[in-house]
Amino acid sequence: MTINKFYKEKAKLALENNKEDSAVVLLLEHILNLSPSMLYVHMDDEMPQDKIEIFNEGFNKYLYENKPIQHIIGTSCFYGYDFIVNENVLIPRRETEELVEHVLYNYDDHFKGQKVDVCDLATGSGNIAIALSLEEPNMNIVATDISDEALDVARLNNEKLGANVKFIQGDMLKPVLGMKFDIFISNPPYIPNDELVDPLVKDNEPNIALFGGSDGMKFYDIILKGVKPLLKDKAIIAFEHGFDKKQEMINLAKKYFPDSKVDVLKDLEGKDRMTFIYVGEF
C-alpha cells in the first residue's frame, strides 16, 4: 500500500469520526520522520510495514481516546520551530503566529534594530517569547506564568531551541513589578467561563490557561489596570484575544490609556484577533 493510499484511508476514518484529517498528516510526518514537503514527495512510496503498527497505536489514541495529536507526538510546530507540549501547556495556535509576526513588524517599524526589553505574560509553553528571541536577538525577553509545570515545559523549549529567554513564576504582573519594558505581550486566558469548548481541548489542555472570567475579559482588565508603571515612555502593548471582542478591547484600552493609539488587527481569516496599544510618542 502506498503512503498516499494509507493516508486517504486514515483521513476518511478521521472525518467519519468527526476528527481533523490534518492530524493524519502530522502523525505520518512524525512516524516517517519526513518534513511536510518530503512527505508529499514520497506519497507514491510503499508505506513501511513496521511503521503501520506504530502509526495505528498513536492514531487510535487520537481517534478513540480523545488525545490531541500534538500530545501523542510530543511536539507542536509554531513559527517554524518544534515546541515540546504536554497536558501542562496550551497547544500553540496558528493565530498566535500572527501575533508574533505583527510584534516583529512593529519592532522593525518603531525600534529599528535597537536593544529592547520585552515581557511575555502567561507564556505557557514559551512559544511567543522563544520565537521572538530566535527571530530578533535584540530583544531581551522575560516571560512569566503562574504555573510551575508550564514553566518547566517552557524552559525545556528554551534550551532545546537555543533561545535566550528568562522565565519567572508568578501571578499576572507580580513577577515583573519594578521592571520596565518597551514591548509588553500577552495571550492570556480569554474564553468566557460558560462557553462550550471542544472536549479535545477542554479535557486535555489546562483550564487555567483557557478561561478568562464571565466575559473573557478578566485578565485584560487586570493587565491594563496595572501595567503602566512597567512601561517605558515609549512602549507597545500587544494582545491576542477572542475574535468577537474588538469593541470591548478598544473600550478597555481607552479606559486605561485614553491618549494612546489603539489598533485592532484581523487575522488571516478576517477575524479581529489582535489589539496593539501604542503608549507615548509614535
Side-chain angles (χ1 to χ4, degrees):
M1 181 187 298
T2 65
I3 293 172
N4 188 43
K5 184 177 180 182
F6 183 82
Y7 159 72
K8 288 180 176 178
E9 287 186 2
K10 298 303 180 180
K12 182 173 182 287
L13 187 57
L15 293 173
E16 287 172 351
N17 284 270
N18 298 313
K19 299 288 187 180
E20 295 182 2
D21 55 351
S22 59
V24 178
V25 175
L26 291 175
L27 191 54
L28 275 174
E29 290 169 358
H30 176 69
I31 297 298
L32 298 174
N33 194 28
L34 294 173
S35 67
S37 59
M38 291 308 295
L39 177 64
Y40 178 78
V41 168
H42 288 278
M43 275 295 191
D44 290 330
D45 293 358
E46 285 294 304
M47 180 69 184
Q49 192 63 37
D50 61 327
K51 301 294 186 183
I52 292 177
E53 185 176 344
I54 298 172
F55 180 96
N56 287 337
E57 181 180 353
F59 188 59
N60 288 340
K61 289 180 181 178
Y62 173 67
L63 212 58
Y64 306 118
E65 298 178 24
N66 203 40
K67 297 296 181 186
I69 205 72
Q70 293 87 348
H71 287 182
I72 294 166
I73 66 179
T75 60
S76 179
C77 185
F78 180 84
Y79 218 79
Y81 304 103
D82 286 332
F83 283 81
I84 298 165
V85 292
N86 59 26
E87 69 280 0
N88 295 313
V89 297
L90 286 186
I91 296 168
R93 267 62 174 184
R94 181 178 53 78
E95 295 86 353
T96 310
E97 292 181 325
E98 297 180 52
L99 178 66
V100 169
E101 188 171 5
H102 282 288
V103 169
L104 290 169
Y105 287 156
N106 270 274
Y107 169 79
D108 289 340
D109 286 346
H110 300 297
F111 296 102
K112 302 182 189 301
Q114 300 174 42
K115 297 283 187 181
V116 293
D117 294 304
V118 179
C119 179
D120 172 31
L121 192 75
T123 195
S125 66
N127 56 304
I128 293 174
I130 291 169
L132 288 172
S133 174
L134 294 170
E135 294 291 319
E136 182 46 73
N138 286 315
M139 290 184 176
N140 173 42
I141 304 176
V142 172
T144 76
D145 205 284
I146 194 172
S147 167
D148 281 316
E149 292 79 12
L151 289 177
D152 287 342
V153 176
R155 291 186 180 103
L156 284 174
N157 282 318
N158 193 56
E159 182 178 356
K160 170 180 179 276
L161 295 169
N164 187 31
V165 178
K166 179 182 179 181
F167 295 97
I168 310 174
Q169 189 277 334
D171 187 13
M172 298 308 289
L173 298 170
K174 293 177 183 177
V176 290
L177 291 177
M179 300 182 189
K180 292 279 189 178
F181 299 100
D182 301 278
I183 302 175
F184 196 97
I185 310 160
S186 188
N187 177 22
Y190 61 71
I191 300 174
N193 291 345
D194 60 356
E195 186 172 306
L196 292 176
V197 177
D198 187 332
L200 186 66
V201 174
K202 188 174 182 180
D203 296 345
N204 292 286
E205 300 185 59
N207 283 199
I208 192 174
L210 292 171
F211 296 103
S214 60
D215 60 355
M217 298 296 293
K218 173 183 175 181
F219 295 109
Y220 301 103
D221 187 79
I222 291 172
I223 293 167
L224 289 174
K225 183 177 181 179
V227 74
K228 192 171 291 186
L230 306 178
L231 302 176
K232 296 183 184 180
D233 292 340
K234 176 182 176 180
I236 296 172
I237 305 169
F239 288 123
E240 182 180 332
H241 51 77
F243 69 91
D244 56 349
K245 296 299 181 180
K246 175 180 179 178
Q247 196 56 52
E248 288 95 324
M249 290 301 303
I250 292 173
N251 293 344
L252 204 58
K254 287 300 184 181
K255 176 181 177 181
Y256 294 112
F257 293 90
D259 300 322
S260 296
K261 178 186 174 185
V262 179
D263 279 343
V264 178
L265 305 178
K266 296 183 183 297
D267 63 18
L268 291 176
E269 294 184 353
K271 297 178 179 179
D272 298 311
R273 184 67 71 175
M274 296 157 280
T275 292
F276 280 70
I277 305 168
Y278 300 89
V279 181
E281 295 295 325
F282 279 91

